[in-house]
Amino acid sequence: MNTLAALHDLTGKTAVVTGGSRGIGRAIAGALAEAGADVVVASRKLDACETAATEIAKESGRRAEAVAFHAGHWADCDRLVGETLDRLGRLDVLVNNAGMSPLYTDLTGISEELYDKTLAVNLKGPFRLAVLAATHMAEHDGGSVVNVGTAGSLTASTRELPYACAKAGLNALTVGLAEAYAPKVRVNAILPGPFATDLSRGWAPEDPDEAPFVPLGRMGRPEEVAPLAVHLASAASSFTTGAIIRVDGGITRKV
């Protein structure tokens, strides 16, 4: 194994990926397994998690577990960490990827329920889960937390304002936790821009390879985020913490 490959090797590590059954989360979970990690796929729908876990195990030869989990519920965050340790015996990498961006007609039409749910899934739950995971990592062999936010947190479009507010909080959480759990735990964030996933079908162009509003001229693909997550999870990024990295095709190049 060459030096670069060795730095990215996650053999013997256990990674938890929330929202890991589809889209960007599924790509990250698969990439972490390919790098050698055992993986826990966590999302609301157990059957989708089980399908993804079975596929990942078959493709990578690594162990993959499925856990039903709601990112907005603190009790589920506690249970996810507990089940990971019970089943796999360790926790080295957390990817806080679960999120939601509900549609609304106008700002005055946003209900308290919608606002609270958006903040819970995108910020409250990730806060609790990251604190639990990082505390465990700091008390053991160290580790890495990767928060998946959005480039929209830097621009705050009125079409997704509660979501952008929550993800801006996730940026702040990343910086704060990087200080709180150093030196044994590194905490970084990835900010995807417009990506072609099932969640973007409501607003994305019909042809994802034709997106003139993106400087690179197209939508991103989930597999274009996954290698960065592996990098941040591994020893290859051993001097990187508190970083907020944009993967957005240049959308926020002037922000």
Side-chain angles (χ1 to χ4, degrees):
M1 183 180 295
N2 63 41
T3 302
L4 185 60
L7 286 172
H8 287 98
D9 184 21
L10 295 174
T11 301
K13 306 294 186 182
T14 293
V16 174
V17 182
T18 68
S21 65
R22 61 181 183 175
I24 288 174
R26 171 63 178 84
I28 290 175
L32 291 169
E34 288 180 16
D38 294 327
V39 175
V40 175
V41 178
S43 190
R44 287 189 303 111
K45 297 180 180 180
L46 181 59
D47 57 345
C49 292
E50 290 174 336
T51 297
T54 298
E55 293 172 351
I56 289 169
K58 183 177 180 180
E59 293 164 359
S60 67
R62 307 306 306 176
R63 185 173 176 184
E65 297 282 336
V67 176
F69 152 86
H70 192 299
H73 298 163
W74 276 25
D76 275 18
C77 296
D78 292 39
R79 181 174 54 79
L80 176 56
V81 171
E83 287 199 30
T84 297
L85 295 175
D86 287 344
R87 296 190 198 184
L88 295 168
R90 61 185 300 139
L91 173 53
D92 307 280
V93 177
L94 167 66
V95 180
N96 259 327
N97 170 73
M100 62 170 292
S101 180
L103 300 175
Y104 50 86
T105 56
D106 55 57
L107 292 175
T108 58
I110 297 172
S111 67
E112 184 177 8
E113 180 184 9
L114 183 148
Y115 184 89
D116 287 347
K117 184 176 181 180
T118 303
L119 270 288
V121 170
N122 292 296
L123 182 58
K124 185 181 81 170
F127 173 93
R128 176 64 172 175
L129 189 55
V131 167
L132 292 174
T135 297
H136 173 83
M137 294 172 191
E139 293 172 350
H140 292 82
D141 298 326
S144 173
V145 176
V146 180
N147 293 320
V148 179
T150 176
S153 64
L154 305 177
T155 57
S157 165
T158 58
R159 295 173 298 175
E160 51 180 16
L161 195 52
Y163 175 68
C165 289
K167 291 297 192 179
L170 193 65
N171 296 345
L173 178 65
T174 298
V175 175
L177 293 182
E179 178 181 354
Y181 290 98
K184 292 188 71 175
V185 181
R186 295 178 300 102
V187 186
N188 296 287
I190 299 171
L191 306 190
F195 271 73
T197 68
D198 57 340
L199 296 179
S200 66
R201 289 174 184 165
W203 57 265
E206 185 175 340
D207 183 355
D209 290 328
E210 295 291 336
F213 60 93
V214 181
L216 290 185
R218 62 174 176 82
M219 303 278 284
R221 297 180 288 271
E223 60 269 24
E224 293 178 299
V225 176
L228 177 57
V230 172
H231 178 74
L232 293 174
S234 73
S237 61
S238 57
F239 200 59
T240 303
T241 195
I244 298 174
I245 304 171
R246 310 175 193 187
V247 185
D248 64 2
I251 284 286
T252 57
R253 65 200 181 282
K254 295 181 180 179
V255 176

